[in-house]
Amino acid sequence: MEKRPHFVRREFPPREVPSLSLALLLAAVLLLNAILYLYLNEFYTSSGHAETDPSLCPFGYFRLGAVKNCSPWLSCEAINREVRKLKCVGEGAVKKVFLSEWKENKVVLSQLTNSELKEDFLHGLKMLKALQSKHVVRLLGYCEQQFTILTEYHPLGSLRGLNETLHIPKYKGMNTWHRRLMLAMDYVSVIRYLHSSPLGTLVMCDSNDLDKVLSQYLLTSDFHVLVNDLDALPLVNRSAGRLVKCGHRELRGEFVAPEQRWPYGEEMPFEDDLMPPYDEKTDIWKIPDVSNFFLGHVEGSDIVRLHLFDIHAACKRKDPAERPSAQEVLDTYRKVLILLIREAAMPGTREML
């Protein structure tokens, strides 16, 4: 009987493997995008005017620390009886600020120091009450008769101390380009909120230099930005033809927007009555300088600056009407953050696809 030749069967890898690898890669990319979306959406909602924090209480109430129940804003009587001053921690043109204690909680008590500026003080209180949101420091109580405001205490203080804070061993892990970019996004979110607030379009007028801007904001313990000082917050109402002027004195320097500077040259002395008013786009002009401070000089920050070059150049356009809105700036920041985190997480993805 003739034997048939015996052939050795050679095993080849199944064709499905490359397709399977590609499918897994695409699934990983989609998962990464989903995680990025959920992560960013938790902190930065892209629409809505109020942007209220779910943890906030109804109007006229507050919640402090780990306490679950909301308490009504403290009255004059409650502040005088229950709040104890500990030490003075700051003083400005309008008010003096005291670290204080209420029911074993650290709080901040602000009191008017210059009676000539009581209208500014009361305006700040009015803004603080009306703008309570995730972007604004929490109001705990007030006494108009005694020109006193009580707010939540944030131990990391104002943004002026950001770089010093990030060099403390406890917070060195936060000193990264993406965390710094997220702080810049927080800042732009505050500007966007003020420009579309429940009261209308508000302009942050206490912002004539970088140090002054940084002093108006607080850094929270979980590394977010809150606006703290709302004394100089005039309203723009285009339909009524109402624009604003930030004070009655001449403003100088490259930090303030061109339209905020005296337009008639050195030969004509400054006169407040002749100074043209302007709108909220003065805040947009200042965003690149403030963001540059936030980004600092850590590894990766120059790459972020490169990606933000075009939007920052648009912010610096001389014609205010040609500058982007705060929403457009924030959207660009979000896109850059997502792009750079995606590339850092999966640097070879583009080549593999």
Side-chain angles (χ1 to χ4, degrees), residues 42-216:
E42 179 183 356
F43 299 107
Y44 308 105
T45 53
S46 41
S47 62
H49 293 292
E51 293 201 299
T52 52
D53 187 335
S55 68
L56 290 174
C57 297
F59 183 81
Y61 290 79
F62 71 92
R63 181 188 293 117
L64 193 61
V67 177
K68 293 183 178 180
N69 298 327
C70 293
S71 302
W73 286 338
L74 300 186
S75 63
C76 296
E77 181 184 358
I79 291 174
N80 291 333
R81 185 180 65 248
E82 300 172 12
V83 176
R84 182 170 66 95
K85 290 181 185 177
L86 299 179
K87 63 177 180 178
C88 179
V89 292
E91 183 173 2
V94 178
K95 53 186 177 286
K96 186 177 286 189
V97 180
F98 297 89
L99 175 62
S100 305
E101 191 174 54
W102 175 74
K103 294 186 176 180
E104 299 182 350
N105 293 291
K106 294 286 195 310
V107 293
V108 174
L109 187 72
S110 302
Q111 292 184 316
L112 178 68
T113 54
N114 185 345
S115 59
E116 294 180 359
L117 298 175
K118 63 182 180 181
E119 293 303 321
D120 292 338
F121 185 90
L122 293 175
H123 177 74
L125 173 58
K126 176 185 175 182
M127 295 293 104
L128 196 54
K129 290 192 290 185
L131 298 176
Q132 285 293 289
S133 71
K134 69 177 185 178
H135 302 296
V136 179
V137 69
R138 191 167 301 173
L139 178 65
L140 309 180
Y142 62 92
C143 179
E144 286 194 39
Q145 298 93 313
Q146 298 173 7
F147 297 99
T148 299
I149 300 174
L150 194 70
T151 54
E152 188 175 15
Y153 171 63
H154 293 279
L156 296 183
S158 80
L159 289 176
R160 284 190 295 191
L162 174 64
N163 289 323
E164 289 75 13
T165 296
L166 288 172
H167 284 97
I168 298 173
K170 179 181 178 181
Y171 298 111
K172 277 189 175 180
M174 297 286 194
N175 197 17
T176 61
W177 68 261
H178 48 85
R179 176 58 65 176
R180 283 176 169 271
L181 178 54
M182 289 175 72
L183 288 173
M185 290 170 68
D186 263 350
Y187 166 72
V188 178
S189 293
V190 173
I191 298 300
R192 189 272 309 271
Y193 174 62
L194 295 178
H195 289 183
S196 58
S197 83
L199 301 176
T201 301
L202 300 168
V203 181
M204 194 65 176
C205 265
D206 254 347
S207 56
N208 297 335
D209 58 64
L210 179 61
D211 192 64
K212 187 63 174 176
V213 170
L214 299 176
S215 71
Q216 309 300 305

Side-chain angles (χ1 to χ4, degrees), residues 138-306:
R138 191 167 301 173
L139 178 65
L140 309 180
Y142 62 92
C143 179
E144 286 194 39
Q145 298 93 313
Q146 298 173 7
F147 297 99
T148 299
I149 300 174
L150 194 70
T151 54
E152 188 175 15
Y153 171 63
H154 293 279
L156 296 183
S158 80
L159 289 176
R160 284 190 295 191
L162 174 64
N163 289 323
E164 289 75 13
T165 296
L166 288 172
H167 284 97
I168 298 173
K170 179 181 178 181
Y171 298 111
K172 277 189 175 180
M174 297 286 194
N175 197 17
T176 61
W177 68 261
H178 48 85
R179 176 58 65 176
R180 283 176 169 271
L181 178 54
M182 289 175 72
L183 288 173
M185 290 170 68
D186 263 350
Y187 166 72
V188 178
S189 293
V190 173
I191 298 300
R192 189 272 309 271
Y193 174 62
L194 295 178
H195 289 183
S196 58
S197 83
L199 301 176
T201 301
L202 300 168
V203 181
M204 194 65 176
C205 265
D206 254 347
S207 56
N208 297 335
D209 58 64
L210 179 61
D211 192 64
K212 187 63 174 176
V213 170
L214 299 176
S215 71
Q216 309 300 305
Y217 296 85
L218 296 171
L219 179 65
T220 68
S221 296
D222 59 350
F223 271 70
H224 284 285
V225 174
L226 298 175
V227 63
N228 181 53
D229 195 329
L230 303 174
D231 294 345
L233 212 60
L235 178 69
V236 169
N237 189 337
R238 284 191 183 82
S239 60
R242 184 194 302 164
L243 298 177
V244 305
K245 286 192 286 186
C246 291
H248 303 288
R249 292 180 294 181
E250 183 178 2
L251 301 178
R252 295 176 178 269
E254 292 299 315
F255 188 84
V256 297
E259 63 272 22
Q260 292 184 280
R261 303 172 210 151
W262 179 243
Y264 302 117
E266 294 290 339
E267 61 276 4
M268 183 183 293
F270 177 81
E271 288 186 41
D272 184 43
D273 291 340
L274 298 179
M275 180 66 199
Y278 34 83
D279 63 16
E280 77 280 3
K281 290 299 183 74
T282 58
D283 290 333
I284 304 300
W285 171 273
K286 297 160 189 172
I287 286 176
D289 299 288
V290 181
S291 290
N292 187 54
F293 167 80
F294 278 118
L295 291 174
H297 300 285
V298 297
E299 182 180 356
S301 62
D302 286 341
I303 298 296
V304 178
R305 287 185 179 90
L306 183 62

Side-chain angles (χ1 to χ4, degrees), residues 23-40:
L24 290 173
L25 180 61
L26 289 172
V29 172
L30 291 173
L31 179 61
L32 178 62
N33 287 340
I35 293 172
L36 282 170
Y37 174 80
L38 292 172
Y39 179 66
L40 294 174

